[in-house]
Amino acid sequence: MVKYDTVIIGAGLSGLAAGIRLAYFDKSVCILERHTTIGGLNSFYRLRERNHDVGLHAVTNYAPPGTKTGPLSKLLRQLRLRWDDFRLCPQRESTVAFPGCTLRFNNDFQLLLSQIEEQFPAQRDNFQRLLNRIDEHDELSLNDVPTSAREIVAAEISDPLLVDMLFCPLMFYGSPTASDMEFSQFVIMFKSIFYEGFARPFEGVRLILKSLVRQFKSLGGELKLRSGVRTILSENQRATALVLDDGSTIETKNILSSAGSAETIRLCRGRTEEDAPQPGEISFVETIFSLDCQPADLGHNQTIVFYNNTPQFRYDTPDEACDVDSGIVCSPNNFQYGDRVDEGRIRITALANPDIWMNFAESDYIREKDSWCRRIVDSAVAHVPDFRSHVVDTDMFTPRTIKKFTGHLNGCVYGAPQKIRDGRTHLENLFLCGTDQGFLGIIGAMLSGITIANLHLLKTP
Amino acid sequence: MIAEDIRQVIIDILARIAPDEDLSDLQDDVAFREQMELDSMDFLDIVMELRKQYRVQIPEEEYEQLISMSSTVSYLMPRLKDVESPA
Ligand SMILES: Cc1cc2nc3c(=O)[nH]c(=O)nc-3n(C[C@H](O)[C@H](O)[C@H](O)COP(=O)(O)OP(=O)(O)OC[C@H]3O[C@@H](n4cnc5c(N)ncnc54)[C@H](O)[C@@H]3O)c2cc1C
């Protein structure tokens, strides 16, 4: 019977990246994925003859070809991939749109700086001081003491509107916690969105995932789909084997799980629900509209619009099924693809209440989706041209869909509030990577897999 | 292997770690870090590539020997002298 060096639970971005590292250095490694396809929170699907991405709005941390520093180039080096394997095309321009005030930004930080000088002239020096704090902070330290980003930012910036407008995109794209973020997470998101910026491959997330799988397999890694892990067996504080959904057993020296911390602990035999860490609760609904024209034909040129319609921006679990007061409008067409054109698309994301979505009766679920979808668009068209008469197809997914396809409790997107930065668990050879380790998003998830593989699974020969 | 072979081995490793980097004008006496963007993750990779290809074990306290091309070559000479040069 084969005994692997490492079995990885989950073929999402973190699991695949970790798998490449291990396979490259000749470890015998197998990735087990419960779903019928790869990608996890950032997968892809085909519906009514159209290709859709699950997650991808924008890849953050953009760097142009030839850049030698920063997370994107670090990650490509570590995975022995070339810049061309992701073929990222930069965004056009994005905005943060609040009542009476809009800030524009793109992948050149100067635009945001000049926007803030223009619209918040009194905050100019304060903003510079905040930038100094951001630049001085070591956000990637694996043992840093959590501090409140709200407190630090409010200490520098005295206009609450500007504070909220800075937090809005950073929270939407990477806060596992309601209302506030840890300062390190704030810094990671600030750099990845405002300093580095957005990009997307024309082919969507498929291209990134295919490059990862090709690399993993060419190095001898094994990938098994439809292979959910039901139980992790252990003896004397060490994991010894995994039992799959079909009852078969796989032996391994180490396990690296991207399923989430609460989700992974629940797989361990002998662990009760009470021992398990609390899963996160921040989740979203996503609506995807296919159009009979390009968004630009309607006068919409922005890549991403982060909007909020209330005096104070709220980022928490709404009391109703969705929070329609704020959201993200993404137009995947509005990246600089050269002359390649795809069908017009608008995607809108809004905060959602996982409990309410999980508990709708099957017979009400479709109707609720329709009705919330309509309310979300009604709210969003205050910030983008009214595209409703151009819609030729609509799809929508909810926390219920996310839980069904990724196993994340609550359909949680950014993991538990409590991160486990060093990836350790109660078993000495069971480690965590992915959202609950703490680096979030597409680039973050891959870096998470790489970091934990390097830290725990590669140093021993 | 002679010094020249070892130099080529290191060049090949660097090319794999940083495929977009131009290595043709690498200066042997200047630290790698000053000529290319290499961080601690990359240094770990040089060590692991050597382990993978030639079974040389480099203890953590000796990583600093790998600072430049010339120091790396002199450090590896005694350790790789009995290894066949690559074809
Ligand atoms: C709607 C939406 C929009 C997003 N937009 C963006 C964006 O624009 N930009 C960005 O950077 N990020 C975005 N993200 C976030 C990004 O997708 C995630 O951070 C990233 O994909 C997380 O990867 P992961 O590997 O940590 O986790 P996952 O992708 O969740 O990987 C875990 C995998 O484990 C599998 N699994 C779980 N349990 C088991 C088990 N018991 N046995 C076997 N397999 C199991 C799951 O099926 C899953 O495939 C978005 C996410 C969503 C949902």
Side-chain angles (χ1 to χ4, degrees), chain B residues 12-54:
Chain B
D12 292 345
I13 290 176
L14 291 173
R16 217 160 314 136
I17 294 175
D20 293 319
E21 193 91 46
D22 176 12
L23 297 168
S24 55
D25 51 5
L26 190 82
Q27 288 171 276
D28 287 15
D29 294 322
V30 181
F32 290 126
R33 265 181 209 269
E34 286 171 31
Q35 308 181 70
M36 11 185 344
E37 291 293 344
L38 290 183
D39 60 15
S40 54
M41 272 189 173
D42 298 319
F43 275 97
L44 177 66
D45 272 31
I46 298 180
V47 171
M48 289 199 305
E49 288 274 6
L50 286 166
R51 186 169 83 198
K52 169 176 158 139
Q53 294 177 40
Y54 300 101

Side-chain angles (χ1 to χ4, degrees), chain A residues 30 84 94 106 138 170 175 177 224 227 256 355 365 378 381 410:
Chain A
C30 178
D84 265 355
S94 297
N106 57 19
D138 176 14
L170 309 190
S175 180
T177 45
K224 294 189 178 156
S227 302
L256 177 60
D355 276 348
Y365 180 63
D378 289 348
V381 291
N410 296 326

Side-chain angles (χ1 to χ4, degrees), chain A residues 21 23-27 66 68-69 74 76-78 80-83 219 447 450-451 454 458-461, chain B residues 13 15-22 35-39 41-42 44-45 48-49 51-53 55 57 60:
Chain A
R21 289 292 295 168
Y24 184 82
F25 289 110
D26 301 326
K27 304 285 184 192
K68 291 170 187 169
T69 51
K74 181 183 279 200
L76 291 171
R77 278 163 187 244
Q78 286 277 306
R80 305 292 191 268
L81 291 173
R82 294 174 168 274
W83 201 91
L219 294 166
L447 280 175
I450 292 170
T451 305
N454 287 353
L458 277 176
K459 287 189 179 160
T460 46
Chain B
I13 290 176
R16 217 160 314 136
I17 294 175
D20 293 319
E21 193 91 46
D22 176 12
Q35 308 181 70
M36 11 185 344
E37 291 293 344
L38 290 183
D39 60 15
M41 272 189 173
D42 298 319
L44 177 66
D45 272 31
M48 289 199 305
E49 288 274 6
R51 186 169 83 198
K52 169 176 158 139
Q53 294 177 40
R55 313 260 158 248
Q57 300 286 354
E60 216 155 329

Side-chain angles (χ1 to χ4, degrees), chain A residues 9-15 32-35 37-42 54-60 173 227-230 245 258-260 263 267 284-286 347 349 397 402 405-408 413-414 433-436 439-445:
Chain A
I9 304 178
L13 289 156
S14 66
L32 301 174
E33 168 58 56
R34 177 169 275 147
H35 193 22
T37 185
I38 55 172
L41 285 167
N42 226 313
V54 173
L56 181 64
H57 283 182
V59 176
T60 55
Y173 271 2
S227 302
V229 175
R230 192 169 68 197
D245 291 338
S258 65
E263 293 82 346
L267 296 175
F284 302 93
V285 293
E286 176 98 3
R347 308 175 60 119
T349 313
F397 60 85
I402 299 174
F405 289 111
T406 69
H408 288 297
V413 173
Y414 298 131
C433 68
T435 51
D436 283 349
F439 301 153
L440 302 174
I442 295 168
I443 298 288

